[in-house]
Amino acid sequence: MASMLLNSIRSGSVSPSWAVRFAFFKYFLSVQTKSKKTLARPGVKNVVLVDGVRTPFLMSGTTYADLMPHDLARAALQGLLKRTGIPKDAVDYIVYGTVIQEVKTSNVAREAALGAGFSDKIPAHTVTMACISSNQAMTSGVGLIAAGQCDAVVAGGVEFMSDVPIRHSRKMRKTMLSLNKAKTLGQRLSLIGSIRLAHLSPELPAVAEFSTAETMGHSADRLAAAFGVSRAEQDEFALRSHMLAKKAEDEGLLQDVVSFKVPGRDIVSKDNGIRPSSMAQMSKLKPAFIKPHGTVTAANSSFLTDGASAVLLMSEEKALAMGYKPKAYLRDFVYVSQDPKDQLLLGPTYATPKVLERAGLSMSDIDVFEFHEAFAGQILANLKAMDSDWFAQTYMGRKSKVGSPAMEKFNLWGGSLSLGHPFGATGCRLATTVAHRLQKEGGQYGLVAACAAGGQGHAMLIEAYPQ
Amino acid sequence: MLLSGKNITADKARKMGLVDQLVDPLGPGLKTPQEQTIEYLEEVAVGVAKDLANKKIPVIREKSFRLKQNDWVLMGLGPVRKMIYNTATKRVQKQSKNFYPAPFKIIECVKTGIEQGSDAGYQAEAQSFGKLVMTSESKALIGLYNGHLLCKKNQFGSPEKEVKKLAILGAGLMGPGIAQVSVDKGLTTILKDTTEDGISRGHENVYKSFNTKVKEKAMTSFERDAIMSNLSIQTDYSGFESADMVIEAVFEDLNIKRQVLKEVEAVIPPHCIFATNTSALSIRDIAAASKRPEKVIGMHYFSPVDKMQLLEIITTDKTSKDTLASAVNVALKQGKTVITVKDGPGFYTTRCMGCLFVESLRLLQEGVAVTKIDSLARSFGFHVGPFMLTDEVGIDIGLHISEMLCKVFGSRYEGGNLEIVKTMVEKGLKGRKSGKGFFVYGKMNVNPEVEEILKKYRVTAPSSVSSEYDMQYRLMSRCINESVMCLQEGIIATPLEGDIGAVFGYGFPPVHGGPFRFVDTFGAERLVSLMKRFEDVYGNQFTPCQLLLDHVKDHSKRFYQSSPSLHL
C-alpha cells in the first residue's frame, strides 16, 4: 500500500487561514447575517444542480482493478438515473471529464452513456483539464443551459488509475508502424531484425508536468517550503481530513455515494482510503519526493484513486416543470492559470478573490468551503498565500489579500486527502458536497476551488436552493 | 579541476562527491524567491548540522574502489609518483603552451604537499600565489577581466524607447546567429530573406541551436518552443511597421545595402533604428542613402554570433546619441561585450586583423610554410594562426576586405601579393565553408594547391629580418602598430576598448592582455627599434605611428597608468 501511496500526486485546491482569521470586510458589511441576497442576475438564466452522485472512491489496484474507465463512468451515470429517476431521453447532452485517457475509449462520455442505457440520440463529449476536468464538464453544461441550447445536461468525471496506457517505446512504435507498410518479406524481416533490446523498454505515463518535467509532488514540496509550511502542520492537516471524512461517513453524510456491484466482485458501497492514523505514525514516514529533507509524504498527499462522479444540471424552469426540488444554484465561476513551475498549485489563491469579486462577496460571506486537497502542503501554502498582502500585491496585482477561509467551515466532510482523488471526478464531488452541506448546515453560499496541473485553477460559487 | 579552474555545477558537484546534499530553488512564497531559497537552504543546513551533531545522520565517507586505487598508487612508490607529476606537467605544457605559469605552480604545490606534508604544501601554495599575482600574465588577465566588465555596461545611458521588436534582414551566415541571441532574451524578432529556402534554413539553424541545449538538458523543450515563438520568418516586409530596430545582414555590397536601406525606410516607423552589420563597409557611405542618417548605426557581429562575445558598434558623426544608447542596449541584451568605434575603413578589429593577414601572406611568399607561420602566431599566444583564421572567416571575404583596405591606406598597408589570394578564390578555395582554403578540411592538411599557386609569386627572404624572432615580430608589430594608430586617429576611444576588441575580436593573445598592455609591458622603445629595423628593409609598412613614438620620447607615458586591481 505504502508503495502505491508514494506515487500519489496531482491536483489542486485552495483554502483559508489556519489559525489567524481576519475577516475581510470590504464591501457588504451588512450582508453578514442571514439576510443574504440571492446571486441571481437579471438576464442570466438560473442553472440548478438537481442532484449529484459518485461511485465509492477506491485506491487504485483494489476492487475496481479489472474494470475499464467507462465501466466506472457508467456506474455513476446509472446511479444518477436511479437517484433522480429522470427519463433516459429527457437529457439533452452529456459531458465528462477525464485526465489519463484509455486510448480505446477516448470519448469516454459517449461509451459510458451508451452502456448506461441513455438514448443513443444524446450527444456526449469528453473534456480534459487535469484535476479540474469535471469542473470543466460542469461549467460546459452551465454554458449550454445558460445559452439556451439545452435544458438538461449530465456532467461528470471519471478517472481510472488501476490501468493506465503504457506504450511501446517510440523506436518500437516506429518499427511496428513501418512493418504495417512493408510490402515484401525481405523488408519485413529486415525491420524485425532492426529491433534491439532498447526498443523493448516501455514508456510509462509520467506523473510529471510536461512543460517542466517536474513531478507534482516535488513541486508541492517546494511550494510548502516557499510558504514555510512545516511537516507537522501538513501531517496535522492530513489527519484532520481523515478524521473528518471518517466522521462524515459514520454519520451517513456522504449521501452522494452510490453502491456499485462490481462484476465478479462484491457490492462496493464505501470509500476505502479513509484511514485516520496518528501524528506519531504519520511522522515516521520518509519524504516521498525531495529526499532527504522534504516534507511531503505519502500520508499527507492524496493517493492514486479510481472513481467516477455525475451531476444532473437543469435550467430552473425545466427542473421545476419536471417536478424536481433542486439542491442548489450554480453561480459565478472562474478559471485562472499561472506559472506551471513555481506556482503550479496556487490556483485557488488566484481564483478565489476573482470569483468573490464577480459576485460582490467577501470571504466572510461564504458559509461552506470545499477546496480540493491535492497535498496538505499545497492547501496550507494556499491558505498562507491568501492571507498575505505581500503575495497579493507582488504576484496577483491586487491591492490587498483576500483573507483565508474559516477552518470551521472548511472541508468538513473530509477531502481529497482522505476520500481520494480520481483526477477527472473530483470536481463534481466538490460541487455536490457543497450542495449537501449547505442543506445540512443551513448556509447560503458555498465556494468550490481547486488547483490543476499546468498551473491552472478554478473556483465556483454555489448558492443554496431555498428550502 | 585544479589545473583548469573550471566551474562545476551543483548537480555535478554532488555526483562527484564534493557536496552531499542540495536544495531546490523555491518559487515565490511569503517573500521573494531568492530570500525564500536562501532561508530554506539555511534551515535545511542547520537541520542537517544538528542531526550530524546528534549522530542522527551517519557520515559516510567510503571511497570508491577507483579512489582507493589512486590513493594506493600515490602513497606507493616514489618513481610512480614522479611519473604522475611528469605526465601532468607535460599535459599542461601541451594545453597551455607554456604561456601561463600558474598550472605548473599548482602541480608543484601538490607535489610539495604530498612529499613533504600538508603544512609545507600550504606554505608553498601561499608563496606561489603571492608570486603569481605579481606576474605580467596575472595583470594582463585581470586587466582584461575588468575591461570585459566595463564593456558589459551601457555607458551611453538608457535609450528613450527600449527596443522590443527587432527585424533582421538576411538569413545567411549572420542573420540567424543574430536572431538566435535575440529571441532567447525575449526580443520579438522577424527574420526576413528574399527566398523561402533562405528563411527556412535560417529558422532551422536557430532551432537547432536551442534543440542542442534541450538534448544537453540545459533547457526544456517548452522553453525552446516558447523562445522559438518569438521568431517569425518571412519574405515580405509585413510587421516592419511596428519594428523598433532593423539589423540588416545582407551581402557585403555597398549598393545592395543602400538599396535595402531605402526599401526598409519606406516601411519602418520614424523611431526605428537601422543597424547595418558589416565588417568593413563604410557606415557613412551606407547612411548616405538614408533620409534619417541619425538613426543609422553599424553593428559588426563576429561569426559564429552565439559564440563570439564581441560586438563592434560603429557610429558616424551623424549618428544620434539615443541611437547609440539603443544599439548598445540591444547588444548588451544579446549578451555581447561592446566596444564603440568611429566609422573608418575596416573600423578597428578588421583593420588590425587585415594587417596581420597581409604580412603573413608576405612571409608565405618568402617561402615560409603555412604551418610555420601559424605556429609563429600560436607561439606568441594566438589560439589559431592567421591562415586558419582566414579560412574560418572565408578567403573571399578576407580578399575583399584586404583589397579595400590596401586601396584606402595605400602602400603603407600592403604586404604579400593579393593576387595569390585572388587566384585561390577563383579556384574555389574559399576556406572552411568550401572545404578547402589554406588547409584541406576533413583531413586538416595543408592544401597543396596553395603551394602550386605560390610558385609564380615566390620572392627571396631578406636574411636580415628573417630569424624566427623577427618573423614573429613582423607579424605582431604591424597589428599592434595599427591598433595604436586607431587610438591615435580616434577610431577607438580608449586603450581598454582596444585591448578588449583585439582579444575578443580576432584572438589577440589574452596572456598579453591586448596590444596596448603589451606595449606597456614590452616597452614602446623596444618595439619601435624592432620596427625601425624592419622599416629599413620594407619601408613605410613598418613605420611606427606618432603615438608610439611619443611613448618612446616620454618614458613616463603608459597606456595604463596603474596595475589593475581585481574588482569582484
Side-chain angles (χ1 to χ4, degrees):
Chain A
M1 184 80 37
S3 70
M4 228 167 52
L5 289 184
L6 276 182
N7 289 327
S8 77
I9 287 211
R10 218 167 260 251
S11 92
S13 87
V14 169
S15 114
S17 93
W18 196 204
V20 201
R21 261 185 304 118
F22 293 114
F24 175 62
F25 315 98
K26 190 129 190 223
Y27 6 20
F28 300 110
L29 268 174
S30 59
V31 205
Q32 280 281 44
T33 51
K34 285 287 151 192
S35 62
K36 288 174 181 173
K37 57 158 191 177
T38 171
L39 297 177
R41 262 199 241 141
V44 177
K45 232 181 220 185
N46 283 331
V47 179
V48 295
L49 180 128
V50 175
D51 213 334
V53 299
R54 65 178 176 94
T55 67
F57 286 176
L58 301 191
M59 290 183 282
S60 64
T62 58
T63 314
Y64 296 149
D66 297 326
L67 300 176
M68 282 181 69
H70 69 286
D71 294 327
L72 274 180
R74 189 178 65 235
L77 287 174
Q78 282 173 326
L80 187 70
L81 283 173
K82 201 170 156 195
R83 177 75 56 93
T84 59
I86 191 170
K88 285 173 177 173
D89 54 0
V91 172
D92 300 318
Y93 205 91
I94 296 169
V95 195
Y96 249 72
T98 196
V99 178
I100 306 229
Q101 284 178 317
E102 160 63 48
V103 285
K104 289 179 191 157
T105 59
S106 60
N107 187 3
V108 69
R110 178 64 173 161
E111 313 305 340
L114 283 174
F118 277 97
S119 154
D120 61 4
K121 299 284 187 294
I122 305 172
H125 83 265
T126 301
V127 296
T128 189
M129 199 172 180
C131 304
I132 49 178
S133 294
S134 60
N135 304 80
Q136 183 53 257
M138 281 189 291
T139 55
S140 302
V142 169
L144 287 170
I145 295 169
Q149 298 297 313
C150 299
D151 285 319
V153 174
V154 169
V158 59
E159 204 65 44
F160 188 66
M161 296 305 290
S162 292
D163 181 33
V164 292
I166 296 172
R167 301 199 293 180
H168 270 298
S169 68
R170 182 79 190 247
K171 280 180 192 157
M172 189 64 179
R173 279 164 15 224
K174 206 171 165 186
T175 311
M176 289 163 94
L177 289 171
S178 313
L179 210 52
N180 275 344
K181 289 183 200 145
K183 294 205 175 65
T184 67
L185 184 64
Q187 277 175 348
R188 273 186 212 120
L189 286 177
S190 91
L191 276 170
I192 292 169
S194 73
I195 297 172
R196 297 283 171 273
L197 211 57
H199 285 52
L200 300 175
S201 66
E203 243 176 56
L204 293 156
V207 273
E209 197 64 15
F210 187 63
S211 64
T212 60
E214 184 182 25
T215 63
M216 194 171 275
H218 195 279
S219 190
D221 206 321
R222 288 196 305 116
L223 184 73
F227 283 93
V229 179
S230 71
R231 165 76 182 267
E233 284 176 285
Q234 294 179 44
D235 286 352
E236 220 168 280
F237 184 85
L239 187 58
R240 172 190 188 268
S241 179
H242 279 280
M243 291 189 357
L244 289 173
K246 181 86 179 93
K247 186 161 170 270
E249 189 179 55
D250 290 347
E251 290 173 7
L253 299 174
L254 307 180
Q255 322 143 31
D256 56 337
V257 178
V258 291
S259 298
F260 177 22
K261 167 68 179 78
V262 182
R265 306 262 198 150
D266 289 339
I267 293 175
V268 181
S269 49
K270 273 167 88 174
D271 304 325
N272 72 358
I274 309 174
R275 296 176 307 161
S277 152
S278 69
M279 284 299 283
Q281 257 183 313
M282 289 176 87
S283 66
K284 278 188 204 149
L285 281 180
K286 291 210 167 118
F289 302 99
I290 295 185
K291 293 161 189 168
H293 55 269
T295 53
V296 173
T297 68
N300 61 36
S301 313
S302 55
F303 48 90
L304 295 182
T305 313
D306 298 338
S309 57
V311 294
L312 176 61
L313 309 180
M314 283 189 183
S315 63
E316 187 177 15
E317 314 88 87
K318 174 81 174 180
L320 295 177
M322 287 185 76
Y324 284 112
K325 170 98 178 127
K327 291 192 164 165
Y329 293 107
L330 302 188
R331 299 297 193 190
D332 288 294
F333 60 85
V334 296
Y335 287 92
V336 294
S337 62
Q338 59 284 329
D339 169 23
K341 170 115 187 110
D342 288 333
Q343 303 191 31
L344 181 68
L345 304 172
L346 284 179
T349 298
Y350 283 85
T352 299
K354 242 176 133 173
V355 79
L356 288 177
E357 215 161 61
R358 276 179 74 90
L361 296 182
S362 71
M363 208 59 146
S364 57
D365 296 323
I366 305 299
D367 303 300
V368 165
F369 294 95
E370 280 296 327
F371 279 34
H372 160 51
E373 302 165 346
F375 300 88
Q378 164 265 332
I379 281 286
L380 295 170
N382 272 284
L383 298 186
K384 294 195 182 198
M386 284 193 279
D387 206 28
S388 161
D389 278 327
W390 184 84
F391 190 85
Q393 288 156 2
T394 315
Y395 286 94
M396 297 166 66
R398 305 186 67 87
K399 284 203 191 84
S400 57
K401 65 186 182 186
V402 62
S404 56
M407 285 319 281
E408 62 269 21
K409 299 176 181 172
F410 189 83
N411 291 9
L412 291 187
W413 296 358
S416 298
L417 288 171
S418 46
L419 301 171
H421 172 39
F423 306 150
T426 289
C428 290
R429 173 184 73 73
L430 293 172
T432 306
T433 305
V434 167
H436 286 162
R437 275 185 60 197
L438 285 172
Q439 283 190 329
K440 173 91 186 159
E441 296 166 17
Q444 190 175 353
Y445 304 136
L447 175 66
V448 165
C451 62
Q456 309 211 72
H458 165 75
M460 181 190 252
L461 283 166
I462 297 173
E463 185 180 349
Y465 198 82
Q467 303 274 336
Chain B
M1 198 162 62
L2 281 177
L3 296 175
S4 62
K6 239 194 289 182
N7 284 338
I8 293 167
T9 60
D11 271 335
K12 183 120 187 264
R14 183 165 71 170
K15 279 188 197 127
M16 291 167 75
L18 293 175
V19 297
D20 289 310
Q21 195 174 326
L22 300 177
V23 304
D24 295 285
L26 300 181
L30 297 174
K31 289 174 189 156
T32 65
Q34 292 77 12
E35 287 174 285
Q36 209 74 58
T37 305
I38 292 295
E39 273 176 32
Y40 180 49
L41 173 64
E42 189 181 325
E43 190 191 308
V44 172
V46 169
V48 171
K50 279 189 183 152
D51 286 352
L52 276 174
N54 324 331
K55 307 243 159 24
K56 265 200 208 152
I57 303 178
V59 183
I60 303 166
R61 287 285 178 268
E62 269 294 300
K63 285 185 174 175
S64 68
F65 178 68
R66 226 186 94 228
L67 283 174
K68 273 189 194 153
Q69 220 178 9
N70 285 353
D71 279 0
W72 182 79
V73 173
L74 283 177
M75 290 308 137
L77 303 163
V80 179
R81 294 203 296 264
K82 215 169 168 190
M83 217 170 72
I84 294 174
Y85 302 138
N86 287 344
T87 316
T89 310
K90 270 188 203 137
R91 197 179 297 168
V92 170
Q93 272 170 344
K94 208 173 158 201
Q95 281 175 3
S96 79
K97 308 217 173 52
N98 281 335
F99 288 122
Y100 298 99
F104 300 105
K105 290 277 186 203
I106 292 170
I107 295 173
E108 255 171 53
C109 291
V110 172
K111 191 171 162 185
T112 314
I114 290 174
E115 303 293 331
Q116 298 164 33
S118 23
D119 283 349
Y122 292 130
Q123 180 69 22
E125 186 181 347
Q127 281 177 358
S128 306
F129 186 80
K131 280 183 199 150
L132 285 171
V133 170
M134 299 311 293
T135 54
S136 62
E137 289 85 356
S138 160
K139 284 178 190 159
L141 293 180
I142 294 173
L144 277 179
Y145 176 78
N146 289 344
H148 189 231
L149 286 189
L150 209 68
C151 293
K152 286 260 181 208
K153 284 183 193 142
N154 192 343
Q155 298 157 50
F156 305 95
S158 328
E160 269 166 43
K161 189 171 188 304
E162 202 184 331
V163 172
K164 297 220 169 96
K165 187 170 178 182
L166 184 67
I168 298 166
L169 294 168
L173 185 63
M174 307 301 284
I178 301 169
Q180 184 192 328
V181 298
S182 306
V183 284
D184 64 340
K185 313 303 181 316
L187 287 168
T188 308
T189 307
I190 295 173
L191 182 60
K192 180 202 173 299
D193 204 334
T194 47
T195 66
E196 198 104 316
D197 266 4
I199 53 173
S200 163
R201 221 179 313 115
H203 186 273
E204 191 60 28
N205 285 345
V206 180
Y207 180 82
K208 258 196 217 151
S209 65
F210 293 118
N211 200 35
T212 310
K213 289 192 182 158
V214 172
K215 282 185 189 153
E216 291 165 351
K217 300 228 159 88
M219 149 184 305
T220 69
S221 63
F222 272 80
E223 285 165 324
R224 174 199 64 205
D225 297 344
I227 288 170
M228 287 304 288
S229 71
N230 286 333
L231 180 68
S232 111
I233 51 171
Q234 56 193 53
T235 53
D236 60 16
Y237 281 112
S238 62
F240 276 58
E241 68 280 353
S242 57
D244 301 311
M245 179 186 254
V246 174
I247 301 178
E248 81 48 41
V250 302
F251 190 68
E252 290 260 25
D253 178 288
L254 184 60
N255 289 328
I256 295 179
K257 291 208 186 248
R258 280 182 173 175
Q259 169 74 27
V260 162
L261 169 63
K262 277 188 196 151
E263 271 177 42
V264 168
E265 278 193 347
V267 289
I268 54 177
H271 75 276
C272 182
I273 291 163
F274 184 90
T276 175
N277 172 57
T278 171
S279 54
L281 291 178
S282 158
I283 309 299
R284 211 171 294 126
D285 292 350
I286 297 171
S290 170
K291 283 180 287 184
R292 356 155 286 162
E294 73 282 359
K295 293 281 183 198
V296 180
I297 195 162
M299 287 175 92
H300 176 197
Y301 288 88
F302 293 75
S303 173
V305 180
D306 59 323
K307 301 261 157 55
M308 296 293 286
Q309 294 191 46
L310 190 74
L311 179 74
E312 216 174 0
I313 290 190
I314 306 110
T315 58
T316 69
D317 12 318
K318 286 192 182 145
T319 308
S320 78
K321 256 235 162 95
D322 187 58
T323 302
L324 173 60
S326 205
V328 174
N329 193 275
V330 168
L332 293 178
K333 228 183 245 173
Q334 291 170 335
K336 296 292 160 199
T337 304
V338 183
I339 63 168
T340 313
V341 307
K342 288 249 162 62
D343 191 21
F347 320 129
Y348 173 65
T349 51
T350 308
R351 181 167 156 187
C352 301
M353 193 161 68
C355 243
L356 186 64
F357 177 65
V358 290
E359 193 58 28
S360 308
L361 201 61
R362 171 151 56 199
L363 285 173
L364 196 63
Q365 251 181 302
E366 290 177 359
V368 187
V370 167
T371 45
K372 179 72 199 168
I373 298 168
D374 271 8
S375 94
L376 282 175
R378 281 206 306 272
S379 68
F380 187 75
F382 273 90
H383 189 59
V384 288
F387 292 118
M388 197 168 282
L389 189 65
T390 312
D391 272 359
E392 285 295 326
V393 173
I395 294 182
D396 48 341
I397 295 172
L399 171 68
H400 186 74
I401 293 169
S402 310
E403 276 182 329
M404 185 201 80
L405 291 175
C406 286
K407 210 167 109 193
V408 179
F409 293 119
S411 62
R412 178 183 85 66
Y413 201 82
E414 281 167 14
N417 193 335
L418 286 177
E419 289 299 316
I420 302 169
V421 191
K422 214 179 247 173
T423 319
M424 284 179 72
V425 174
E426 276 160 15
K427 292 199 169 184
L429 311 178
K430 291 184 182 172
R432 190 182 193 113
K433 60 187 171 188
S434 64
K436 277 181 189 175
F438 290 101
F439 295 90
V440 180
Y441 289 86
K443 292 185 198 159
M444 287 316 289
N445 289 335
V446 173
N447 189 354
E449 292 168 70
V450 177
E451 204 49 39
E452 203 50 45
I453 298 169
L454 270 174
K455 275 184 187 158
K456 222 169 111 187
Y457 302 99
R458 207 30 56 82
V459 296
T460 322
S463 58
S464 58
V465 290
S466 293
S467 73
E468 275 202 16
Y469 183 81
D470 282 350
M471 290 195 291
Q472 193 173 48
Y473 276 91
R474 272 164 57 191
L475 293 172
M476 297 313 143
S477 61
R478 275 198 71 178
C479 81
I480 293 168
N481 184 46
E482 204 65 36
S483 291
V484 179
M485 204 183 297
C486 285
L487 181 65
Q488 177 187 311
E489 291 173 6
I491 296 284
I492 48 173
T494 60
L496 195 133
E497 283 179 288
D499 280 347
I500 294 292
V503 171
F504 292 96
Y506 65 96
F508 192 92
V511 68
H512 297 305
F516 293 95
R517 194 170 292 281
F518 177 80
V519 174
D520 278 357
T521 315
F522 187 79
E525 200 162 10
R526 243 173 107 196
L527 186 66
V528 166
S529 71
L530 272 173
M531 291 188 75
K532 291 238 156 109
R533 246 184 345 105
F534 304 149
E535 189 182 13
D536 291 341
V537 180
Y538 292 108
N540 65 351
Q541 289 144 20
F542 285 96
T543 309
C545 68
Q546 189 54 44
L547 188 56
L548 264 186
L549 295 176
D550 291 349
H551 275 237
V552 175
K553 227 182 278 164
D554 180 355
H555 287 282
S556 67
K557 273 204 168 168
R558 286 269 186 286
F559 291 113
Y560 291 95
Q561 290 318 317
S562 56
S563 336
S565 54
L566 202 49
H567 309 288
L568 288 177

